[in-house]
Amino acid sequence: MDLKLVHTRAELAAAREKLGRLALVPTMGALHEGHRSLIRIARERADHVAVSIFVNPLQFGPNEDFARYPRTLDADVEVCAAEGVALVFAPSAEEMYAADRSVTVSAGPMGDVHEGAFRPGHFDGVLTVVLKLFNLVRPDVAVFGQKDAQQLAMIRRMVADLDVPVEIVGAPTVREPDGLAMSSRNRYLSAEDRAVALALSRALHEGAKHARPAEILTAARAVLDAAGPALSVDYLILVDPETFTEVSDDHRGEAVLAVAARVGGTRLIDNVPLSLG
Ligand code: PAF
């Protein structure tokens, strides 16, 4: 089936009608190998895959990178075509948001901690656009990367709390050969920044060698500290994957070791899922 690129709600509704069981991969474009892996996982879950490409103004703070976020629609559509995507929805901001809009989704307390504490309002913006995309595309399944672990947890929470009839699938983080987690923001990094940025994945790797929460955090922190002042750490946390509350030192079971840091002008996040026995 040939890929259909649509920009309006009306075009989307007409195209959606012709597709059966549909998996949605919501993105902000600048597609890379990580997105390709989400699309491949989506293909296994449904008859057809839709990809949305929309740089959502609601989830960027006033001093964040909304204006310079990479917009590469032609290249993105080529990636989607190569991956067998049936439908790409690439709306304008005006198509997504009415000028007089006033109701948004509130992320609740989980939206105020960790990533949310450094990016106030970010998760309200993410959940608002994701719910709108679900309502417009009407997917059966939606696939999100585990790299944005708190985002994934919040989307699961929204779907459960608001009874949204979409199955949420989390997909493993894809890394460069040297360990750097793939991200559309990696293209902002200079060669020097990129070398410093490797401390994030190394810290997670070192932390994951340990069994007790305190040891995990100490080992990971030592790697981040060794990177020196070029790396400015926002947070390093070991949390419950569903609630994003920090785990106690006698915690057994699933946990997520997550880090956020700034390198040069670029803010990066990364995490690893851990099973503590
Ligand atoms: O993860 C992203 O790329 C975005 O936060 C998402 C889910 C597409 C919402 O804009």
Side-chain angles (χ1 to χ4, degrees):
M1 175 184 260
D2 286 342
L3 179 149
K4 187 147 185 66
L5 170 63
V6 299
H7 298 284
T8 67
R9 292 153 181 262
E11 290 169 331
L12 173 66
R16 171 63 182 103
E17 256 184 23
K18 300 192 180 88
L19 303 174
R21 186 175 159 80
L22 186 66
L24 173 66
V25 180
T27 81
M28 297 203 301
L31 302 185
H32 49 66
E33 204 49 47
H35 294 109
R36 283 184 188 262
S37 126
L38 300 183
I39 293 169
R40 286 173 197 156
I41 289 168
R43 283 183 67 181
E44 289 166 11
R45 299 292 187 132
D47 304 329
H48 299 290
V49 175
V51 171
S52 61
I53 298 177
F54 179 61
V55 184
N56 173 32
L58 258 57
Q59 69 188 76
F60 288 80
N63 299 317
E64 295 187 351
D65 57 343
F66 175 69
R68 74 164 176 150
Y69 198 88
R71 288 157 170 89
T72 58
L73 183 61
D74 292 349
D76 292 344
V77 171
E78 276 180 32
V79 168
C80 289
E83 294 295 338
V85 169
L87 179 61
V88 173
F89 177 47
S92 65
E94 295 70 32
E95 189 69 22
M96 280 303 279
Y97 295 116
D100 64 349
R101 66 176 181 84
S102 73
V103 174
T104 53
V105 177
S106 165
M110 210 204 300
D112 292 334
V113 295
H114 314 309
E115 200 54 18
F118 285 90
R119 305 187 69 187
H122 170 68
F123 287 117
D124 292 359
V126 169
L127 296 185
T128 299
V129 81
V130 167
L131 186 59
K132 283 168 72 73
L133 288 168
F134 287 172
N135 288 335
L136 290 167
V137 178
R138 291 182 288 110
D140 299 279
V141 182
V143 184
F144 296 86
Q146 279 165 5
K147 177 173 169 286
D148 294 291
Q150 192 174 351
Q151 168 176 285
L152 177 60
M154 300 244 41
I155 290 167
R156 288 192 195 283
R157 195 71 253 175
M158 174 179 76
V159 163
D161 288 353
L162 303 184
D163 303 306
V164 185
V166 180
E167 182 193 348
I168 304 299
V169 174
T173 301
V174 178
R175 297 181 180 280
E176 303 281 358
D178 61 8
L180 186 71
M182 294 218 179
S183 163
S184 304
R185 291 189 167 99
N186 289 351
R187 64 184 74 194
Y188 300 154
L189 298 170
S190 67
E192 293 78 21
D193 290 345
R194 203 183 174 296
V196 174
L198 288 180
L200 274 74
S201 54
R202 282 205 200 108
L204 300 177
H205 186 71
E206 283 307 310
K209 291 179 181 169
H210 296 267
R212 297 278 302 268
E215 292 163 359
I216 292 169
L217 288 166
T218 303
R221 174 64 65 179
V223 178
L224 298 175
D225 289 348
L231 187 78
S232 175
V233 178
D234 282 349
Y235 60 80
L236 170 71
I237 48 170
L238 186 64
V239 292
D240 178 288
E242 282 179 19
T243 62
F244 264 71
T245 50
E246 300 203 44
V247 301
S248 60
D249 202 37
D250 57 3
H251 178 78
R252 297 288 172 270
E254 303 307 304
V256 172
L257 180 61
V259 62
R262 280 163 289 123
V263 186
T266 307
R267 189 164 182 283
L268 299 171
I269 60 171
D270 198 357
N271 71 82
V272 281
L274 300 177
S275 192
L276 309 183

